[in-house]
Amino acid sequence: MTEIDYKGSCFCGKIEFHIEGKPLMNVFCHCPGCSLGVGVSPVHCLVVPDNNFKVTKGEEYVTIFDGTGSLRFGKCSECGAGIFQYPEGAGYR
């Protein structure tokens, strides 16, 4: 897979993030945990190592929600936009 350098934000702009490096996977997930946490199926997941994902602005607006099992979701506490998701302790987002 090609290396990426991507900057993004939540809907309201309070959170900004930067992703760089080579993704581990680029998949559509149909599992119940992802579907329930996001509200749709399938869920597009661009999976990168934890150290390749950085919140560059607004860390204080990131709220972590528990999903099913060990799945965690990082969302903006102001606008509700999903920023990332990960299985607890997996080492990737």
Side-chain angles (χ1 to χ4, degrees):
M1 211 175 291
T2 306
E3 292 213 6
I4 60 171
D5 188 357
Y6 177 78
K7 293 179 181 176
S9 68
C10 63
F11 298 129
C12 69
K14 300 237 189 256
I15 299 172
E16 293 179 359
F17 59 89
H18 183 215
I19 302 168
E20 64 181 345
K22 192 172 186 176
L24 301 172
M25 293 180 274
N26 185 12
V27 299
F28 285 101
C29 184
H30 298 267
C31 84
C34 286
S35 299
L36 289 171
V38 178
V40 298
S41 184
V43 175
H44 180 237
C45 299
L46 179 66
V47 182
V48 298
D50 278 343
N51 59 348
N52 289 27
F53 177 91
K54 304 267 188 292
V55 173
T56 56
K57 175 185 161 191
E59 183 79 42
E60 66 273 20
Y61 293 101
V62 176
T63 302
I64 305 296
F65 294 94
D66 292 340
T68 58
S70 67
L71 200 55
R72 306 292 178 261
F73 295 88
K75 297 186 178 190
C76 177
S77 61
E78 292 292 308
C79 68
I83 305 298
F84 57 82
Q85 65 189 59
Y86 61 96
E88 188 72 35
Y92 59 82
R93 300 205 178 230

